[in-house]
Amino acid sequence: MDSIVCIKRVPQTTDLEIKIDSSGKDIQKDRLTFDINESDSYAIEEAIRLKEKLGGTVTLVSIGEIGNDDIIRMGLAKGADSAIRIEYSDELDGFATAQLLKNTIKDLKFDIIFTGCMAQDDGYSMVGQTLAELLGIPYASLVVKLDVENNLATINRELEGSLIEKSEIKLPALFTIQTGINEPRYASLMAIRKATGKEIKITDAKNTELTKNTTITKLFTPPPSKQAEILAGTTEEKAVKMTEILKEKGVL
Amino acid sequence: MKNIFTLIEHRRGEIRNISFELLTKARELSEKTGGKVTALLLGHQTQTFINEIKSSAHRIIVIEDEKLKDFNSEYYKTVLSNILTTEKPFLTLIGHTAFGIDIAPALGSKLNIPVSTDCIGIEIDNNVVATRQMYGGKLNATINFKDSSQFLLTIRQGAFTVSETNLSTEVTNIPSPLKEDLAEIKFLEYIEAATGGVDITKANIVIGIGRGVKEQENLKIIEDFAQAIGGVVGCSRPVADSGWLPKDRQVGSSGKTIKPKLYIAMGISGASQHISGMKGSETIIAINKDPNAPIFNEANYGIVDDLFKVIPALKKKIEELKQ
């Protein structure tokens, strides 16, 4: 069972105030840290588990510049066998991203392609499904359980309201993986050290002609739908105010 | 003519609310463009659905086929490709749901129609201009499209409020183009998630915890606080993903929808998926370190502070009051 996992490096913005840069179309990234997209990390784990169960290989594919090597090497340390970095630095929309991935993946041998179900930064949830369509293979999105037997995958998709949809899909196929499907492992220090020496194949895509369907023309702070009354003062004072509110509302 | 099509989403014999949200927005846009609104209804035993949608659109296109009873991206993509190619609507709206997420990007790619996803605003001039959110709802983005004669958007659930209308509706039945069984994807069944001992949908007070709780060990502090205030503990997705709380405690679009008297969001930034599960709460209080966390746009009251400083102070006050 040979798998390909598409991974993205994203800025870590949870709990942080993010600022729009001078172009008005992007955020200030110079003080942010970067890491692998969360659902991509679950996708790697799912691919490695499949390899451990059924044999085969795991290949990582990531679009970006040399900074991406950090997340690629961590994937290799966790158990991926090889990696390709598609060298490209311009802004991409979901469709262009899928085209770039397709150009590289169409020449590779695979049974399953994994992607995360959503990128934490742009939140499109579209690259995997688009890639599958471009490659002409079936797919399922938001996968929370996967079993493979004889070129047939049985999957659970996560729907709304705690409901699960169970389906069968013939391989080769693509799955976009939802967070929580497994428990991503940590790589050992030894494995991390070993991965430092592993080769990452570079595909230069800088001059690739791509169709961009959409462009971000402006970023702005969302207008509040219901602005909260912010309780001011010391922590103690805030606690007193909040207790008064709770009393007033009759919930205590 | 800038006609707008919306896809009717149904599951287990019921039309989902997003379908009416899409129709409402489509009608509003069509008033400006002069185009007509068409509801696309793919399914089996569709008569009750037709009755429900009737008067919400200028036209309903019905494709009746047993193979379309449950969602299957392979069948739906085949049928929708057929219709969008012959009818050529200027704009097609599909819900940004598990159903729409699955089908829309591939459909657009197959038909060479530009797609944008999870949109919360739409303007039409010569092209379409969309608004959508990025960075977990911390920023909005204006999206422009390349020139095209057709556009496809998926729309966030709850982004548009349903309004009533009374249009005269023409119903067009189109024979199903599905001649034979497609072989690659087979729907098996729906599975209801297992439920545990605590039902957060029945509680008066729910303490919702998110990433800001940082470590599993801190759960004890939250549980103690919940007990002091007489509430139960729910959570956002990352907490359930980590296995710190069972999945049936997850509040949000893929988890539970709750409407308690009081919801206290602790260390939850407020991704739209979470908001949609708790925005019906009577009173919402948010505690978060980030003053710009989107959760403050939904809360009635906010405390910008370190969670683990606020909790002991608050617990003390509440216990004093209860004595």
Side-chain angles (χ1 to χ4, degrees):
Chain A
M1 197 59 46
D2 295 323
S3 306
I4 292 170
V5 191
C6 305
I7 58 173
K8 183 179 185 182
R9 179 176 177 262
V10 294
Q12 302 297 297
T13 55
T14 312
D15 285 343
L16 288 179
E17 190 180 334
I18 44 182
K19 293 199 172 80
I20 299 163
D21 73 6
S22 57
S23 77
K25 298 171 188 178
D26 204 348
I27 61 165
Q28 292 178 18
K29 289 178 178 155
D30 49 332
R31 292 166 80 181
L32 297 175
T33 56
F34 288 77
D35 203 346
I36 186 169
N37 182 52
E38 197 178 15
S39 53
D40 300 356
S41 169
Y42 287 89
I44 291 182
E45 179 65 29
E46 202 59 23
I48 293 172
R49 287 184 187 199
L50 204 60
K51 177 180 107 165
E52 286 168 347
K53 201 171 156 199
L54 302 171
T57 61
V58 175
T59 303
L60 306 175
V61 178
S62 186
I63 300 171
E65 296 178 283
I66 195 158
N68 280 40
D69 287 359
D70 292 351
I71 63 161
I72 295 172
R73 288 201 193 283
M74 188 52 82
L76 290 168
K78 287 181 177 184
D81 302 279
S82 60
I84 301 171
R85 177 162 60 80
I86 303 172
E87 181 89 25
Y88 194 87
S89 56
D90 292 351
E91 274 303 309
L92 292 164
D93 69 348
F95 186 60
T97 304
Q99 287 169 76
L100 262 190
L101 291 170
K102 180 221 161 189
N103 290 348
T104 293
I105 291 173
K106 68 175 171 28
D107 300 323
L108 304 177
K109 188 174 148 294
F110 65 85
D111 301 292
I112 297 180
I113 300 173
F114 291 100
T115 70
C117 69
M118 182 180 91
Q120 284 160 277
D121 51 358
D122 53 40
Y124 285 119
S125 293
M126 69 182 289
V127 170
Q129 305 90 304
T130 309
L131 174 62
E133 182 62 35
L134 293 175
L135 290 166
I137 57 171
Y139 63 88
S141 58
L142 306 165
V143 172
V144 289
K145 188 166 187 281
L146 168 71
D147 288 304
V148 177
E149 213 173 316
N150 303 327
N151 280 322
L152 189 68
T154 308
I155 53 122
N156 286 358
R157 293 186 64 227
E158 184 182 75
L159 309 181
E160 291 79 14
S162 311
L163 194 67
I164 297 293
E165 175 191 303
K166 188 174 179 184
S167 306
E168 277 177 358
I169 300 198
K170 278 190 186 162
L171 302 183
L174 181 147
F175 300 113
T176 88
I177 299 297
Q178 177 60 287
T179 57
I181 185 176
N182 52 41
E183 199 179 319
R185 70 192 64 194
Y186 292 97
S188 69
L189 276 175
M190 172 93 93
I192 292 172
R193 218 174 298 141
K194 262 173 78 182
T196 326
K198 276 197 186 171
E199 188 206 5
I200 297 172
K201 198 179 153 222
I202 311 290
T203 302
D204 187 354
K206 282 199 277 295
N207 300 316
T208 313
E209 290 233 355
L210 294 170
T211 308
K212 262 178 83 175
N213 281 341
T214 60
T215 319
I216 296 167
T217 49
K218 193 179 131 195
L219 288 181
F220 57 100
T221 308
S225 49
K226 174 166 80 179
Q227 186 64 62
E229 179 189 334
I230 302 293
L231 311 180
T234 61
T235 301
E236 173 77 14
E237 284 162 355
K238 289 173 197 167
V240 171
K241 281 182 194 164
M242 184 167 150
T243 313
E244 279 164 10
I245 291 164
L246 296 179
K247 210 167 84 183
E248 205 179 289
K249 300 275 174 194
V251 285
L252 286 186
Chain B
M1 188 70 95
K2 292 193 163 79
N3 290 323
I4 304 173
F5 279 27
T6 71
L7 183 62
I8 301 300
E9 182 171 332
H10 53 85
R11 182 175 296 151
R12 301 208 281 187
E14 276 179 34
I15 295 188
R16 305 196 67 239
N17 200 51
I18 180 73
S19 307
F20 298 103
E21 294 168 15
L22 299 179
L23 283 168
T24 301
K25 186 63 185 177
R27 287 196 306 270
E28 182 200 311
L29 291 167
S30 75
E31 276 165 28
K32 290 181 203 155
T33 64
K36 298 277 183 245
V37 175
T38 299
L40 288 176
L41 176 58
L42 283 61
H44 180 51
Q45 294 168 338
T46 45
Q47 193 52 52
T48 51
F49 296 156
I50 296 171
N51 296 342
E52 248 190 283
I53 323 160
K54 230 175 181 173
S55 80
S56 308
H58 298 103
R59 185 164 65 134
I60 307 172
I61 292 182
V62 183
I63 297 95
E64 165 78 40
D65 193 321
E66 200 177 348
K67 298 189 185 77
L68 300 170
K69 179 172 177 273
D70 296 300
F71 174 69
N72 174 316
S73 66
E74 204 181 3
Y75 285 126
Y76 271 69
K77 206 168 65 189
T78 307
V79 176
L80 289 170
S81 300
N82 230 293
I83 297 171
L84 297 186
T85 308
T86 48
E87 297 279 334
K88 296 198 173 15
F90 174 73
L91 177 63
T92 303
L93 304 179
I94 298 179
H96 193 72
T97 56
F99 171 104
I101 288 170
D102 208 56
I103 193 157
L107 182 64
S109 175
K110 184 180 163 86
L111 301 178
N112 203 16
I113 299 175
V115 178
S116 195
T117 54
D118 198 17
C119 300
I120 57 168
I122 315 164
E123 301 286 336
I124 294 180
D125 48 26
N126 286 326
N127 269 4
V128 169
V129 181
T131 307
R132 61 187 304 283
Q133 296 204 304
M134 294 178 69
Y135 302 101
K138 288 189 179 186
L139 290 179
N140 282 10
T142 305
I143 305 290
N144 283 66
F145 290 80
K146 69 167 188 187
D147 287 336
S148 175
S149 56
Q150 282 184 266
F151 300 89
L152 174 55
L153 303 183
T154 69
I155 306 298
R156 176 176 291 181
Q157 300 178 75
F160 304 119
T161 312
V162 176
S163 71
E164 297 294 323
T165 185
N166 202 2
L167 298 174
S168 69
T169 308
E170 175 199 337
V171 179
T172 314
N173 285 283
I174 295 184
S176 171
L178 300 170
K179 298 295 169 235
E180 57 212 65
D181 283 356
L182 299 173
E184 289 179 325
I185 305 177
K186 188 172 151 201
F187 170 84
L188 296 175
E189 59 174 329
Y190 290 115
I191 304 168
E192 305 267 1
T195 46
V198 175
D199 185 353
I200 58 169
T201 64
K202 298 221 164 73
N204 272 328
I205 301 174
V206 178
I207 315 297
I209 57 171
R211 260 185 232 273
V213 166
K214 296 235 163 15
E215 286 170 42
Q216 189 168 13
E217 286 66 44
N218 292 333
L219 218 62
K220 177 87 178 72
I221 301 169
I222 310 285
E223 294 278 5
D224 285 350
F225 175 74
Q227 202 171 12
I229 197 171
V232 299
V233 182
C235 63
S236 66
R237 169 155 219 126
V239 173
D241 282 347
S242 309
W244 297 353
L245 281 175
K247 192 78 182 165
D248 63 357
R249 303 283 191 99
Q250 187 180 318
V251 177
S253 52
S254 58
K256 303 277 191 227
T257 300
I258 58 167
K259 291 172 179 172
K261 274 179 80 105
L262 172 68
Y263 184 71
I264 308 179
M266 295 186 163
I268 290 178
S269 74
S272 67
Q273 295 88 342
H274 182 73
I275 301 288
S276 76
M278 50 58 95
K279 66 181 175 194
S281 308
E282 260 175 60
T283 302
I284 299 168
I285 301 176
I287 307 172
N288 203 296
K289 270 199 299 202
D290 172 11
N292 296 311
I295 191 82
F296 290 122
N297 295 339
E298 291 299 329
N300 303 93
Y301 304 95
I303 292 178
V304 181
D305 207 331
D306 180 348
L307 192 56
F308 295 102
K309 284 188 192 145
V310 177
I311 292 175
L314 200 55
K315 188 162 168 263
K316 196 166 146 248
K317 292 289 158 215
I318 290 168
E319 279 166 349
E320 279 172 15
L321 196 79
K322 283 199 164 176
Q323 271 167 12

